[in-house]
């Protein structure tokens, strides 16, 4: 209908009230369900006001913007899926492993702000903590602990006031200290206590 530069609107109504297919002002509008059983090629924007259901693999070549929540699977355990984001370097990725309920990061994690972990955090590689980093719970190290110049390492004990602190080239222990094995000290030792017991 019409001609180039002088088109007219075309509208097809469906069986349900409000459902229709409208071609108007260079735009095709679908009010209702759209089922496509072959390939679709779009050379402009696609606006969807409602749900989009895709059965099968989908490849998107270009930027994708979401203005609402992205949900994969269901919270009741009836449907769960892996989600992977790849980085610019080979092997770098972030993967949510739905079967293991684990977020796997291969690359560098940078956090600006607070980070709360309820459970176990396994780090293979370098873990760098910024100023004011606090850990509540158990920490197991299978390698070296390296501190930047001017940093302070503080471990608070279960008893009020007890702590171990290293900073400013000094190690301070407030509370009972039990050492098993050889101890080599290069420097001064100051002990403030009512009783000091050394067993060699």
């Amino acid at each position: 209908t019409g001609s180039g530069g002088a088109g007219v609107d075309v509208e097809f109504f469906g069986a349900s009230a409000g459902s229709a297919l409208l071609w108007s002002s260079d735009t095709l509008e679908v009010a209702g369900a759209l089922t496509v059983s072959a390939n679709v090629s779009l050379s402009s924007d696609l606006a969807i006001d409602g749900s989009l259901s895709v059965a099968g693999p989908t490849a998107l070549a270009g930027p994708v913007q979401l203005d609402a929540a992205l949900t994969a699977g269901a919270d009741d355990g009836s449907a769960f899926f892996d989600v992977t984001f790849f980085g610019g370097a080979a092997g770098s990725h972030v993967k949510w492993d739905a079967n293991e309920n684990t977020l796997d990061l291969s690359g560098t994690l940078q956090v600006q702000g607070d980070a709360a972990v309820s459970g176990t955090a396994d780090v293979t590689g370098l873990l760098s903590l910024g100023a004011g980093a606090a850990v509540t719970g158990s920490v197991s190290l299978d390698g070296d602990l390296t501190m930047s110049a001017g940093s302070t390492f503080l471990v608070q004990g279960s008893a009020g006031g007890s702590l171990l602190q290293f900073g400013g080239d000094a190690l301070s222990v407030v509370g009972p200290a039990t050492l098993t094995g050889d101890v080599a000290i290069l420097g001064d030792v100051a002990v403030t206590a009512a009783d000091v017991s050394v067993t060699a």
Side-chain angles (χ1 to χ4, degrees):
T1 59
S3 60
V8 295
D9 294 349
V10 178
E11 188 170 12
F12 299 93
F13 292 98
S16 302
S19 62
L21 175 66
L22 173 63
W23 169 255
S24 175
S25 301
D26 299 331
T27 302
L28 181 64
E29 298 181 6
V30 179
L34 174 63
T35 301
V36 180
S37 57
N39 295 330
V40 176
S41 178
L42 299 175
S43 58
S44 185
D45 297 335
L46 173 63
I48 299 176
D49 185 8
S51 299
L52 173 63
S53 178
V54 179
T58 302
L60 302 175
V64 178
Q65 177 178 336
L66 300 178
D67 297 328
L70 172 64
T71 302
D75 192 32
D76 58 5
S78 61
F80 47 92
F81 308 97
D82 294 347
V83 179
T84 303
F85 299 93
F86 291 101
S92 62
H93 67 271
V94 176
K95 178 181 179 180
W96 169 251
D97 190 330
N99 290 314
E100 300 295 333
N101 296 323
T102 300
L103 182 64
D104 179 21
L105 169 65
S106 177
T108 301
L109 173 63
Q110 293 182 343
V111 179
Q112 295 181 347
D114 297 335
V117 178
S118 298
T120 301
D122 294 326
V123 179
T124 301
L126 176 64
L127 174 62
S128 178
L129 301 177
V135 178
T136 302
S138 300
V139 177
S140 178
L141 299 176
D142 295 328
D144 296 334
L145 174 63
T146 303
M147 298 172 54
S148 301
S151 300
T152 299
F153 181 72
L154 173 65
V155 178
Q156 294 180 325
S158 57
S162 62
L163 58 86
L164 182 149
Q165 176 176 307
F166 178 76
D169 298 330
L171 176 65
S172 301
V173 178
V174 178
T178 301
L179 303 177
T180 302
D182 298 332
V183 178
I185 300 176
L186 301 177
D188 298 332
V189 178
V191 178
T192 302
D195 297 314
V196 177
S197 177
V198 178
T199 302

